[in-house]
């Protein structure tokens, strides 16, 4: 069996970083919109 030498920090993670950044961006937008809707509903029902 051939030995594979893994070197920590050598893998290209640019695609994972782009995916994670997109996830964080959509999560922040979703949270902001949800908070805005809740504030609107609170003001409209008072």
């Amino acid at each position: 069996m051939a030995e594979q030498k893994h070197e920590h920090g050598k893998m290209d993670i640019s695609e994972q970083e782009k995916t994670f950044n997109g996830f964080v961006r959509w999560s922040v937008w979703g949270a902001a919109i949800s908070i805005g809707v809740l504030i609107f509903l609170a003001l409209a029902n008072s």
Side-chain angles (χ1 to χ4, degrees), residues 2-45:
E3 283 189 42
Q4 292 180 349
K5 192 172 187 179
H6 174 73
E7 295 184 31
H8 186 71
K10 295 290 183 184
M11 189 173 98
D12 180 24
I13 59 169
S14 59
E15 286 298 317
Q16 287 88 345
E17 287 177 339
K18 285 194 282 187
T19 301
F20 179 73
N21 289 336
F23 170 76
V24 169
R25 184 180 304 116
W26 280 100
S27 297
V28 168
W29 273 100
I33 290 171
S34 298
I35 291 169
V37 167
L38 289 173
I39 291 172
F40 172 75
L41 289 173
L43 293 173
N45 287 323

